[in-house]
Amino acid sequence: MTTTLLIVEDEPKLAQLLVDYLSRDDFACHVIGDGNTVIEWVQQHNPQFILLDLMLPNKDGISLCREIRTFSNVPIIMVTARIEEIDRLLGLELGADDYICKPFSPREVVARVKSVLRRSVGALPASEKETSFAAHQHDIVIDADKFMARVCGQELELTPIEFRLLNLLCKSPERVFSRDYLMDNVYVDNRIVSDRTVDSHIKNLRKKINHASAGKILISTVYGVGYKISF
Ligand code: CA
């Protein structure tokens, strides 16, 4: 099945290189080089994946990512020219699914895109789907097939990674999951991911759950160990 993928990149050669590689893997690519036209295009075409460069003419990747997240949970990989930038980006909690640093090999990009896709909708292993329903007796309902999580009757707007984190935590309420475990299960083959990535996604997830459950469902930090969820 073809996946529509938007490449937001203002260096034409680099964009073309990505198109060449991704097209071979059955991605239907569209390239936009100007930050100003991205939002409208995304709203009209609803791509299934976005590769988003940080530095762009007219509107930068940070503003774009924030704006996209107000109306869409489409998987986003942000591309930056500086490795140091990644820490700052994580701190901003933009809701991107992964970060890639330039220069990259196109093969690496393809692998990352596939990896993010795998861990999002429809790609959940059967074991994760089953356990979702054990959470029914609580105020939390997760339907992995529909990529839907409801807390106290309110549907959550989650990114694919937040969804997978929540799904994992809900498998065993009160169990403390180490960052390593969460990383292994949510970010299978990423070299750049640090434990701060997990922290940042958890922070976003926690905010959303607190808000929807009015503090009834808590994700707590167990210092030096990891995270757990309590109903
Ligand atoms: Ca650029």
Side-chain angles (χ1 to χ4, degrees), residues 156-193:
L156 299 179
E157 293 284 326
L158 300 177
T159 67
I161 288 189
E162 289 164 6
F163 184 84
R164 292 205 68 181
L165 279 171
L166 179 63
N167 206 15
L168 262 179
L169 292 170
C170 285
K171 279 163 117 177
S172 318
E174 299 300 332
R175 171 182 160 189
V176 181
F177 288 89
S178 70
R179 287 184 179 80
D180 282 345
Y181 183 90
L182 294 174
M183 267 151 72
D184 285 347
N185 284 275
V186 182
Y187 310 88
V188 185
D189 48 16
N190 290 339
R191 274 158 282 167
I192 284 180
V193 161

PDB file of all heavy atoms in Angstrom, residues 156-193:
ATOM      1  N   LEU A 156      -8.648  11.126  23.849  1.00  0.00           N
ATOM      2  CA  LEU A 156      -7.383  11.850  23.894  1.00  0.00           C
ATOM      3  C   LEU A 156      -6.820  12.035  22.494  1.00  0.00           C
ATOM      4  O   LEU A 156      -6.939  11.163  21.653  1.00  0.00           O
ATOM      5  CB  LEU A 156      -6.347  11.091  24.734  1.00  0.00           C
ATOM      6  CG  LEU A 156      -6.657  10.828  26.198  1.00  0.00           C
ATOM      7  CD1 LEU A 156      -5.512  10.055  26.831  1.00  0.00           C
ATOM      8  CD2 LEU A 156      -6.880  12.132  26.947  1.00  0.00           C
ATOM      9  N   GLU A 157      -6.212  13.183  22.284  1.00  0.00           N
ATOM     10  CA  GLU A 157      -5.497  13.422  21.028  1.00  0.00           C
ATOM     11  C   GLU A 157      -4.042  13.057  21.277  1.00  0.00           C
ATOM     12  O   GLU A 157      -3.297  13.812  21.877  1.00  0.00           O
ATOM     13  CB  GLU A 157      -5.582  14.911  20.651  1.00  0.00           C
ATOM     14  CG  GLU A 157      -6.966  15.387  20.284  1.00  0.00           C
ATOM     15  CD  GLU A 157      -7.366  14.932  18.884  1.00  0.00           C
ATOM     16  OE1 GLU A 157      -6.476  14.860  18.020  1.00  0.00           O
ATOM     17  OE2 GLU A 157      -8.554  14.626  18.675  1.00  0.00           O
ATOM     18  N   LEU A 158      -3.653  11.860  20.818  1.00  0.00           N
ATOM     19  CA  LEU A 158      -2.302  11.401  21.110  1.00  0.00           C
ATOM     20  C   LEU A 158      -1.481  11.222  19.841  1.00  0.00           C
ATOM     21  O   LEU A 158      -2.023  10.864  18.798  1.00  0.00           O
ATOM     22  CB  LEU A 158      -2.347  10.055  21.850  1.00  0.00           C
ATOM     23  CG  LEU A 158      -3.083  10.012  23.183  1.00  0.00           C
ATOM     24  CD1 LEU A 158      -3.094   8.588  23.723  1.00  0.00           C
ATOM     25  CD2 LEU A 158      -2.448  10.957  24.188  1.00  0.00           C
ATOM     26  N   THR A 159      -0.191  11.443  19.953  1.00  0.00           N
ATOM     27  CA  THR A 159       0.699  11.113  18.846  1.00  0.00           C
ATOM     28  C   THR A 159       0.911   9.599  18.893  1.00  0.00           C
ATOM     29  O   THR A 159       0.672   8.966  19.930  1.00  0.00           O
ATOM     30  CB  THR A 159       2.066  11.813  18.984  1.00  0.00           C
ATOM     31  OG1 THR A 159       2.728  11.269  20.121  1.00  0.00           O
ATOM     32  CG2 THR A 159       1.904  13.318  19.153  1.00  0.00           C
ATOM     33  N   PRO A 160       1.376   8.997  17.800  1.00  0.00           N
ATOM     34  CA  PRO A 160       1.596   7.545  17.812  1.00  0.00           C
ATOM     35  C   PRO A 160       2.488   7.078  18.964  1.00  0.00           C
ATOM     36  O   PRO A 160       2.208   6.064  19.591  1.00  0.00           O
ATOM     37  CB  PRO A 160       2.255   7.287  16.457  1.00  0.00           C
ATOM     38  CG  PRO A 160       1.705   8.358  15.571  1.00  0.00           C
ATOM     39  CD  PRO A 160       1.568   9.570  16.456  1.00  0.00           C
ATOM     40  N   ILE A 161       3.514   7.831  19.280  1.00  0.00           N
ATOM     41  CA  ILE A 161       4.405   7.402  20.367  1.00  0.00           C
ATOM     42  C   ILE A 161       3.709   7.513  21.718  1.00  0.00           C
ATOM     43  O   ILE A 161       3.806   6.619  22.559  1.00  0.00           O
ATOM     44  CB  ILE A 161       5.718   8.213  20.368  1.00  0.00           C
ATOM     45  CG1 ILE A 161       6.553   7.761  19.175  1.00  0.00           C
ATOM     46  CG2 ILE A 161       6.480   8.019  21.667  1.00  0.00           C
ATOM     47  CD1 ILE A 161       7.935   8.289  19.155  1.00  0.00           C
ATOM     48  N   GLU A 162       2.986   8.592  21.921  1.00  0.00           N
ATOM     49  CA  GLU A 162       2.263   8.735  23.188  1.00  0.00           C
ATOM     50  C   GLU A 162       1.256   7.597  23.347  1.00  0.00           C
ATOM     51  O   GLU A 162       1.081   7.049  24.432  1.00  0.00           O
ATOM     52  CB  GLU A 162       1.535  10.092  23.235  1.00  0.00           C
ATOM     53  CG  GLU A 162       2.467  11.276  23.388  1.00  0.00           C
ATOM     54  CD  GLU A 162       1.803  12.603  23.040  1.00  0.00           C
ATOM     55  OE1 GLU A 162       0.580  12.639  22.778  1.00  0.00           O
ATOM     56  OE2 GLU A 162       2.522  13.610  23.020  1.00  0.00           O
ATOM     57  N   PHE A 163       0.622   7.254  22.235  1.00  0.00           N
ATOM     58  CA  PHE A 163      -0.347   6.168  22.274  1.00  0.00           C
ATOM     59  C   PHE A 163       0.313   4.860  22.686  1.00  0.00           C
ATOM     60  O   PHE A 163      -0.186   4.125  23.536  1.00  0.00           O
ATOM     61  CB  PHE A 163      -1.011   6.016  20.900  1.00  0.00           C
ATOM     62  CG  PHE A 163      -2.097   4.977  20.881  1.00  0.00           C
ATOM     63  CD1 PHE A 163      -3.376   5.299  21.283  1.00  0.00           C
ATOM     64  CD2 PHE A 163      -1.833   3.676  20.486  1.00  0.00           C
ATOM     65  CE1 PHE A 163      -4.376   4.345  21.285  1.00  0.00           C
ATOM     66  CE2 PHE A 163      -2.820   2.714  20.489  1.00  0.00           C
ATOM     67  CZ  PHE A 163      -4.093   3.049  20.892  1.00  0.00           C
ATOM     68  N   ARG A 164       1.453   4.571  22.091  1.00  0.00           N
ATOM     69  CA  ARG A 164       2.140   3.321  22.427  1.00  0.00           C
ATOM     70  C   ARG A 164       2.637   3.318  23.869  1.00  0.00           C
ATOM     71  O   ARG A 164       2.606   2.290  24.542  1.00  0.00           O
ATOM     72  CB  ARG A 164       3.295   3.085  21.455  1.00  0.00           C
ATOM     73  CG  ARG A 164       2.801   2.798  20.047  1.00  0.00           C
ATOM     74  CD  ARG A 164       3.797   2.000  19.283  1.00  0.00           C
ATOM     75  NE  ARG A 164       3.932   0.654  19.825  1.00  0.00           N
ATOM     76  CZ  ARG A 164       4.765  -0.237  19.336  1.00  0.00           C
ATOM     77  NH1 ARG A 164       5.529   0.075  18.324  1.00  0.00           N
ATOM     78  NH2 ARG A 164       4.831  -1.435  19.861  1.00  0.00           N
ATOM     79  N   LEU A 165       3.106   4.467  24.331  1.00  0.00           N
ATOM     80  CA  LEU A 165       3.554   4.551  25.720  1.00  0.00           C
ATOM     81  C   LEU A 165       2.384   4.269  26.671  1.00  0.00           C
ATOM     82  O   LEU A 165       2.501   3.472  27.597  1.00  0.00           O
ATOM     83  CB  LEU A 165       4.119   5.946  26.022  1.00  0.00           C
ATOM     84  CG  LEU A 165       5.555   6.213  25.579  1.00  0.00           C
ATOM     85  CD1 LEU A 165       5.900   7.684  25.744  1.00  0.00           C
ATOM     86  CD2 LEU A 165       6.540   5.349  26.372  1.00  0.00           C
ATOM     87  N   LEU A 166       1.265   4.896  26.389  1.00  0.00           N
ATOM     88  CA  LEU A 166       0.086   4.708  27.238  1.00  0.00           C
ATOM     89  C   LEU A 166      -0.351   3.246  27.224  1.00  0.00           C
ATOM     90  O   LEU A 166      -0.650   2.652  28.265  1.00  0.00           O
ATOM     91  CB  LEU A 166      -1.054   5.613  26.751  1.00  0.00           C
ATOM     92  CG  LEU A 166      -2.370   5.518  27.524  1.00  0.00           C
ATOM     93  CD1 LEU A 166      -2.174   5.959  28.969  1.00  0.00           C
ATOM     94  CD2 LEU A 166      -3.459   6.368  26.878  1.00  0.00           C
ATOM     95  N   ASN A 167      -0.346   2.670  26.040  1.00  0.00           N
ATOM     96  CA  ASN A 167      -0.741   1.274  25.888  1.00  0.00           C
ATOM     97  C   ASN A 167       0.157   0.352  26.727  1.00  0.00           C
ATOM     98  O   ASN A 167      -0.308  -0.549  27.417  1.00  0.00           O
ATOM     99  CB  ASN A 167      -0.666   0.910  24.403  1.00  0.00           C
ATOM    100  CG  ASN A 167      -1.609  -0.223  24.044  1.00  0.00           C
ATOM    101  OD1 ASN A 167      -2.507  -0.556  24.818  1.00  0.00           O
ATOM    102  ND2 ASN A 167      -1.407  -0.821  22.894  1.00  0.00           N
ATOM    103  N   LEU A 168       1.449   0.623  26.665  1.00  0.00           N
ATOM    104  CA  LEU A 168       2.407  -0.181  27.438  1.00  0.00           C
ATOM    105  C   LEU A 168       2.180  -0.031  28.940  1.00  0.00           C
ATOM    106  O   LEU A 168       2.102  -1.019  29.676  1.00  0.00           O
ATOM    107  CB  LEU A 168       3.821   0.300  27.134  1.00  0.00           C
ATOM    108  CG  LEU A 168       4.644  -0.460  26.110  1.00  0.00           C
ATOM    109  CD1 LEU A 168       5.997   0.226  25.956  1.00  0.00           C
ATOM    110  CD2 LEU A 168       4.848  -1.898  26.551  1.00  0.00           C
ATOM    111  N   LEU A 169       2.073   1.209  29.390  1.00  0.00           N
ATOM    112  CA  LEU A 169       1.906   1.461  30.817  1.00  0.00           C
ATOM    113  C   LEU A 169       0.629   0.813  31.341  1.00  0.00           C
ATOM    114  O   LEU A 169       0.607   0.246  32.435  1.00  0.00           O
ATOM    115  CB  LEU A 169       1.863   2.977  31.099  1.00  0.00           C
ATOM    116  CG  LEU A 169       3.160   3.753  30.883  1.00  0.00           C
ATOM    117  CD1 LEU A 169       2.895   5.248  30.954  1.00  0.00           C
ATOM    118  CD2 LEU A 169       4.215   3.363  31.921  1.00  0.00           C
ATOM    119  N   CYS A 170      -0.434   0.866  30.538  1.00  0.00           N
ATOM    120  CA  CYS A 170      -1.736   0.348  30.978  1.00  0.00           C
ATOM    121  C   CYS A 170      -1.769  -1.174  31.037  1.00  0.00           C
ATOM    122  O   CYS A 170      -2.666  -1.746  31.648  1.00  0.00           O
ATOM    123  CB  CYS A 170      -2.841   0.849  30.063  1.00  0.00           C
ATOM    124  SG  CYS A 170      -3.243   2.562  30.341  1.00  0.00           S
ATOM    125  N   LYS A 171      -0.799  -1.812  30.392  1.00  0.00           N
ATOM    126  CA  LYS A 171      -0.763  -3.274  30.464  1.00  0.00           C
ATOM    127  C   LYS A 171      -0.582  -3.725  31.904  1.00  0.00           C
ATOM    128  O   LYS A 171      -1.100  -4.763  32.300  1.00  0.00           O
ATOM    129  CB  LYS A 171       0.420  -3.815  29.647  1.00  0.00           C
ATOM    130  CG  LYS A 171       0.152  -3.901  28.174  1.00  0.00           C
ATOM    131  CD  LYS A 171       1.468  -4.040  27.458  1.00  0.00           C
ATOM    132  CE  LYS A 171       1.555  -5.357  26.720  1.00  0.00           C
ATOM    133  NZ  LYS A 171       2.815  -5.453  25.964  1.00  0.00           N
ATOM    134  N   SER A 172       0.182  -2.988  32.657  1.00  0.00           N
ATOM    135  CA  SER A 172       0.429  -3.341  34.051  1.00  0.00           C
ATOM    136  C   SER A 172       0.408  -2.105  34.936  1.00  0.00           C
ATOM    137  O   SER A 172       1.454  -1.535  35.226  1.00  0.00           O
ATOM    138  CB  SER A 172       1.797  -4.016  34.216  1.00  0.00           C
ATOM    139  OG  SER A 172       2.037  -4.933  33.198  1.00  0.00           O
ATOM    140  N   PRO A 173      -0.796  -1.718  35.358  1.00  0.00           N
ATOM    141  CA  PRO A 173      -0.876  -0.570  36.262  1.00  0.00           C
ATOM    142  C   PRO A 173      -0.015  -0.816  37.508  1.00  0.00           C
ATOM    143  O   PRO A 173       0.087  -1.955  37.967  1.00  0.00           O
ATOM    144  CB  PRO A 173      -2.361  -0.501  36.635  1.00  0.00           C
ATOM    145  CG  PRO A 173      -3.066  -1.214  35.538  1.00  0.00           C
ATOM    146  CD  PRO A 173      -2.126  -2.249  35.023  1.00  0.00           C
ATOM    147  N   GLU A 174       0.600   0.215  37.992  1.00  0.00           N
ATOM    148  CA  GLU A 174       1.455   0.184  39.189  1.00  0.00           C
ATOM    149  C   GLU A 174       2.822  -0.456  38.934  1.00  0.00           C
ATOM    150  O   GLU A 174       3.702  -0.387  39.784  1.00  0.00           O
ATOM    151  CB  GLU A 174       0.791  -0.532  40.387  1.00  0.00           C
ATOM    152  CG  GLU A 174      -0.497   0.103  40.873  1.00  0.00           C
ATOM    153  CD  GLU A 174      -0.310   1.540  41.344  1.00  0.00           C
ATOM    154  OE1 GLU A 174       0.786   1.904  41.802  1.00  0.00           O
ATOM    155  OE2 GLU A 174      -1.278   2.316  41.220  1.00  0.00           O
ATOM    156  N   ARG A 175       2.990  -1.096  37.798  1.00  0.00           N
ATOM    157  CA  ARG A 175       4.330  -1.630  37.536  1.00  0.00           C
ATOM    158  C   ARG A 175       5.225  -0.468  37.103  1.00  0.00           C
ATOM    159  O   ARG A 175       4.823   0.394  36.326  1.00  0.00           O
ATOM    160  CB  ARG A 175       4.268  -2.668  36.416  1.00  0.00           C
ATOM    161  CG  ARG A 175       5.652  -3.089  35.968  1.00  0.00           C
ATOM    162  CD  ARG A 175       5.655  -4.082  34.836  1.00  0.00           C
ATOM    163  NE  ARG A 175       6.970  -4.056  34.183  1.00  0.00           N
ATOM    164  CZ  ARG A 175       7.252  -4.668  33.059  1.00  0.00           C
ATOM    165  NH1 ARG A 175       6.341  -5.371  32.431  1.00  0.00           N
ATOM    166  NH2 ARG A 175       8.461  -4.589  32.534  1.00  0.00           N
ATOM    167  N   VAL A 176       6.445  -0.460  37.625  1.00  0.00           N
ATOM    168  CA  VAL A 176       7.376   0.586  37.227  1.00  0.00           C
ATOM    169  C   VAL A 176       8.124   0.134  35.977  1.00  0.00           C
ATOM    170  O   VAL A 176       8.772  -0.906  35.973  1.00  0.00           O
ATOM    171  CB  VAL A 176       8.380   0.906  38.361  1.00  0.00           C
ATOM    172  CG1 VAL A 176       9.318   2.023  37.924  1.00  0.00           C
ATOM    173  CG2 VAL A 176       7.637   1.295  39.631  1.00  0.00           C
ATOM    174  N   PHE A 177       7.974   0.911  34.916  1.00  0.00           N
ATOM    175  CA  PHE A 177       8.680   0.616  33.674  1.00  0.00           C
ATOM    176  C   PHE A 177       9.932   1.479  33.598  1.00  0.00           C
ATOM    177  O   PHE A 177       9.852   2.695  33.755  1.00  0.00           O
ATOM    178  CB  PHE A 177       7.794   0.947  32.464  1.00  0.00           C
ATOM    179  CG  PHE A 177       6.648  -0.002  32.264  1.00  0.00           C
ATOM    180  CD1 PHE A 177       5.421   0.222  32.870  1.00  0.00           C
ATOM    181  CD2 PHE A 177       6.799  -1.116  31.449  1.00  0.00           C
ATOM    182  CE1 PHE A 177       4.358  -0.649  32.676  1.00  0.00           C
ATOM    183  CE2 PHE A 177       5.739  -1.997  31.245  1.00  0.00           C
ATOM    184  CZ  PHE A 177       4.520  -1.765  31.859  1.00  0.00           C
ATOM    185  N   SER A 178      11.057   0.864  33.374  1.00  0.00           N
ATOM    186  CA  SER A 178      12.278   1.648  33.250  1.00  0.00           C
ATOM    187  C   SER A 178      12.284   2.376  31.917  1.00  0.00           C
ATOM    188  O   SER A 178      11.611   1.976  30.969  1.00  0.00           O
ATOM    189  CB  SER A 178      13.499   0.732  33.339  1.00  0.00           C
ATOM    190  OG  SER A 178      13.573  -0.072  32.179  1.00  0.00           O
ATOM    191  N   ARG A 179      13.060   3.447  31.855  1.00  0.00           N
ATOM    192  CA  ARG A 179      13.185   4.175  30.590  1.00  0.00           C
ATOM    193  C   ARG A 179      13.723   3.249  29.507  1.00  0.00           C
ATOM    194  O   ARG A 179      13.304   3.311  28.366  1.00  0.00           O
ATOM    195  CB  ARG A 179      14.136   5.352  30.750  1.00  0.00           C
ATOM    196  CG  ARG A 179      13.548   6.485  31.531  1.00  0.00           C
ATOM    197  CD  ARG A 179      14.536   7.652  31.548  1.00  0.00           C
ATOM    198  NE  ARG A 179      13.989   8.772  32.275  1.00  0.00           N
ATOM    199  CZ  ARG A 179      13.989   8.848  33.591  1.00  0.00           C
ATOM    200  NH1 ARG A 179      14.499   7.864  34.315  1.00  0.00           N
ATOM    201  NH2 ARG A 179      13.473   9.901  34.201  1.00  0.00           N
ATOM    202  N   ASP A 180      14.661   2.401  29.879  1.00  0.00           N
ATOM    203  CA  ASP A 180      15.243   1.471  28.899  1.00  0.00           C
ATOM    204  C   ASP A 180      14.170   0.577  28.296  1.00  0.00           C
ATOM    205  O   ASP A 180      14.126   0.362  27.096  1.00  0.00           O
ATOM    206  CB  ASP A 180      16.305   0.575  29.554  1.00  0.00           C
ATOM    207  CG  ASP A 180      17.616   1.325  29.730  1.00  0.00           C
ATOM    208  OD1 ASP A 180      17.761   2.390  29.093  1.00  0.00           O
ATOM    209  OD2 ASP A 180      18.459   0.850  30.499  1.00  0.00           O
ATOM    210  N   TYR A 181      13.315   0.077  29.169  1.00  0.00           N
ATOM    211  CA  TYR A 181      12.249  -0.800  28.683  1.00  0.00           C
ATOM    212  C   TYR A 181      11.329  -0.043  27.728  1.00  0.00           C
ATOM    213  O   TYR A 181      11.004  -0.526  26.651  1.00  0.00           O
ATOM    214  CB  TYR A 181      11.439  -1.352  29.863  1.00  0.00           C
ATOM    215  CG  TYR A 181      10.371  -2.333  29.424  1.00  0.00           C
ATOM    216  CD1 TYR A 181      10.642  -3.697  29.321  1.00  0.00           C
ATOM    217  CD2 TYR A 181       9.104  -1.887  29.070  1.00  0.00           C
ATOM    218  CE1 TYR A 181       9.674  -4.588  28.894  1.00  0.00           C
ATOM    219  CE2 TYR A 181       8.122  -2.768  28.640  1.00  0.00           C
ATOM    220  CZ  TYR A 181       8.409  -4.120  28.563  1.00  0.00           C
ATOM    221  OH  TYR A 181       7.451  -4.984  28.121  1.00  0.00           O
ATOM    222  N   LEU A 182      10.947   1.151  28.140  1.00  0.00           N
ATOM    223  CA  LEU A 182      10.054   1.952  27.297  1.00  0.00           C
ATOM    224  C   LEU A 182      10.733   2.268  25.962  1.00  0.00           C
ATOM    225  O   LEU A 182      10.126   2.181  24.904  1.00  0.00           O
ATOM    226  CB  LEU A 182       9.645   3.240  28.010  1.00  0.00           C
ATOM    227  CG  LEU A 182       8.778   3.047  29.260  1.00  0.00           C
ATOM    228  CD1 LEU A 182       8.554   4.380  29.977  1.00  0.00           C
ATOM    229  CD2 LEU A 182       7.425   2.430  28.919  1.00  0.00           C
ATOM    230  N   MET A 183      12.016   2.605  26.036  1.00  0.00           N
ATOM    231  CA  MET A 183      12.754   2.920  24.811  1.00  0.00           C
ATOM    232  C   MET A 183      12.818   1.717  23.876  1.00  0.00           C
ATOM    233  O   MET A 183      12.602   1.829  22.676  1.00  0.00           O
ATOM    234  CB  MET A 183      14.174   3.388  25.151  1.00  0.00           C
ATOM    235  CG  MET A 183      14.279   4.896  25.287  1.00  0.00           C
ATOM    236  SD  MET A 183      15.585   5.369  26.435  1.00  0.00           S
ATOM    237  CE  MET A 183      17.016   4.978  25.491  1.00  0.00           C
ATOM    238  N   ASP A 184      13.109   0.559  24.462  1.00  0.00           N
ATOM    239  CA  ASP A 184      13.204  -0.648  23.642  1.00  0.00           C
ATOM    240  C   ASP A 184      11.890  -0.979  22.971  1.00  0.00           C
ATOM    241  O   ASP A 184      11.854  -1.555  21.891  1.00  0.00           O
ATOM    242  CB  ASP A 184      13.618  -1.853  24.501  1.00  0.00           C
ATOM    243  CG  ASP A 184      15.087  -1.790  24.847  1.00  0.00           C
ATOM    244  OD1 ASP A 184      15.793  -0.969  24.228  1.00  0.00           O
ATOM    245  OD2 ASP A 184      15.524  -2.539  25.741  1.00  0.00           O
ATOM    246  N   ASN A 185      10.806  -0.647  23.653  1.00  0.00           N
ATOM    247  CA  ASN A 185       9.509  -1.044  23.122  1.00  0.00           C
ATOM    248  C   ASN A 185       8.820   0.007  22.274  1.00  0.00           C
ATOM    249  O   ASN A 185       7.868  -0.296  21.564  1.00  0.00           O
ATOM    250  CB  ASN A 185       8.585  -1.472  24.258  1.00  0.00           C
ATOM    251  CG  ASN A 185       8.954  -2.848  24.745  1.00  0.00           C
ATOM    252  OD1 ASN A 185       8.524  -3.839  24.193  1.00  0.00           O
ATOM    253  ND2 ASN A 185       9.816  -2.901  25.759  1.00  0.00           N
ATOM    254  N   VAL A 186       9.272   1.214  22.380  1.00  0.00           N
ATOM    255  CA  VAL A 186       8.616   2.263  21.602  1.00  0.00           C
ATOM    256  C   VAL A 186       9.511   2.805  20.503  1.00  0.00           C
ATOM    257  O   VAL A 186       9.063   3.188  19.433  1.00  0.00           O
ATOM    258  CB  VAL A 186       8.126   3.405  22.516  1.00  0.00           C
ATOM    259  CG1 VAL A 186       7.405   4.473  21.722  1.00  0.00           C
ATOM    260  CG2 VAL A 186       7.179   2.847  23.574  1.00  0.00           C
ATOM    261  N   TYR A 187      10.798   2.805  20.769  1.00  0.00           N
ATOM    262  CA  TYR A 187      11.734   3.318  19.757  1.00  0.00           C
ATOM    263  C   TYR A 187      12.693   2.210  19.361  1.00  0.00           C
ATOM    264  O   TYR A 187      13.850   2.220  19.758  1.00  0.00           O
ATOM    265  CB  TYR A 187      12.593   4.452  20.308  1.00  0.00           C
ATOM    266  CG  TYR A 187      11.839   5.545  20.988  1.00  0.00           C
ATOM    267  CD1 TYR A 187      11.554   5.459  22.340  1.00  0.00           C
ATOM    268  CD2 TYR A 187      11.444   6.669  20.277  1.00  0.00           C
ATOM    269  CE1 TYR A 187      10.870   6.480  22.970  1.00  0.00           C
ATOM    270  CE2 TYR A 187      10.768   7.682  20.905  1.00  0.00           C
ATOM    271  CZ  TYR A 187      10.485   7.588  22.247  1.00  0.00           C
ATOM    272  OH  TYR A 187       9.830   8.589  22.868  1.00  0.00           O
ATOM    273  N   VAL A 188      12.230   1.277  18.602  1.00  0.00           N
ATOM    274  CA  VAL A 188      12.999   0.069  18.389  1.00  0.00           C
ATOM    275  C   VAL A 188      14.438   0.294  17.887  1.00  0.00           C
ATOM    276  O   VAL A 188      15.378  -0.177  18.493  1.00  0.00           O
ATOM    277  CB  VAL A 188      12.254  -0.894  17.436  1.00  0.00           C
ATOM    278  CG1 VAL A 188      13.003  -2.190  17.317  1.00  0.00           C
ATOM    279  CG2 VAL A 188      10.862  -1.138  17.977  1.00  0.00           C
ATOM    280  N   ASP A 189      14.588   1.026  16.817  1.00  0.00           N
ATOM    281  CA  ASP A 189      15.953   1.062  16.255  1.00  0.00           C
ATOM    282  C   ASP A 189      16.472   2.481  16.031  1.00  0.00           C
ATOM    283  O   ASP A 189      16.960   2.831  14.981  1.00  0.00           O
ATOM    284  CB  ASP A 189      16.005   0.266  14.959  1.00  0.00           C
ATOM    285  CG  ASP A 189      14.868   0.644  14.035  1.00  0.00           C
ATOM    286  OD1 ASP A 189      14.251   1.697  14.258  1.00  0.00           O
ATOM    287  OD2 ASP A 189      14.596  -0.088  13.095  1.00  0.00           O
ATOM    288  N   ASN A 190      16.345   3.296  17.039  1.00  0.00           N
ATOM    289  CA  ASN A 190      16.844   4.661  16.878  1.00  0.00           C
ATOM    290  C   ASN A 190      18.116   4.880  17.654  1.00  0.00           C
ATOM    291  O   ASN A 190      18.182   4.644  18.830  1.00  0.00           O
ATOM    292  CB  ASN A 190      15.802   5.655  17.367  1.00  0.00           C
ATOM    293  CG  ASN A 190      14.634   5.687  16.428  1.00  0.00           C
ATOM    294  OD1 ASN A 190      14.781   5.285  15.272  1.00  0.00           O
ATOM    295  ND2 ASN A 190      13.513   6.130  16.899  1.00  0.00           N
ATOM    296  N   ARG A 191      19.099   5.379  16.962  1.00  0.00           N
ATOM    297  CA  ARG A 191      20.368   5.596  17.645  1.00  0.00           C
ATOM    298  C   ARG A 191      20.387   6.904  18.415  1.00  0.00           C
ATOM    299  O   ARG A 191      21.044   7.039  19.417  1.00  0.00           O
ATOM    300  CB  ARG A 191      21.518   5.563  16.639  1.00  0.00           C
ATOM    301  CG  ARG A 191      22.018   4.162  16.389  1.00  0.00           C
ATOM    302  CD  ARG A 191      22.733   4.072  15.081  1.00  0.00           C
ATOM    303  NE  ARG A 191      21.786   4.023  13.981  1.00  0.00           N
ATOM    304  CZ  ARG A 191      22.119   4.190  12.722  1.00  0.00           C
ATOM    305  NH1 ARG A 191      23.353   4.460  12.409  1.00  0.00           N
ATOM    306  NH2 ARG A 191      21.208   4.097  11.788  1.00  0.00           N
ATOM    307  N   ILE A 192      19.665   7.896  17.905  1.00  0.00           N
ATOM    308  CA  ILE A 192      19.766   9.226  18.505  1.00  0.00           C
ATOM    309  C   ILE A 192      18.915   9.361  19.765  1.00  0.00           C
ATOM    310  O   ILE A 192      19.203  10.166  20.627  1.00  0.00           O
ATOM    311  CB  ILE A 192      19.383  10.298  17.455  1.00  0.00           C
ATOM    312  CG1 ILE A 192      20.560  10.466  16.493  1.00  0.00           C
ATOM    313  CG2 ILE A 192      19.070  11.626  18.107  1.00  0.00           C
ATOM    314  CD1 ILE A 192      20.333  11.480  15.419  1.00  0.00           C
ATOM    315  N   VAL A 193      17.930   8.517  19.881  1.00  0.00           N
ATOM    316  CA  VAL A 193      17.021   8.654  21.009  1.00  0.00           C
ATOM    317  C   VAL A 193      17.744   8.553  22.349  1.00  0.00           C
ATOM    318  O   VAL A 193      18.515   7.647  22.602  1.00  0.00           O
ATOM    319  CB  VAL A 193      15.921   7.574  20.935  1.00  0.00           C
ATOM    320  CG1 VAL A 193      15.263   7.382  22.273  1.00  0.00           C
ATOM    321  CG2 VAL A 193      14.886   7.982  19.904  1.00  0.00           C
TER     322      VAL A 193
END
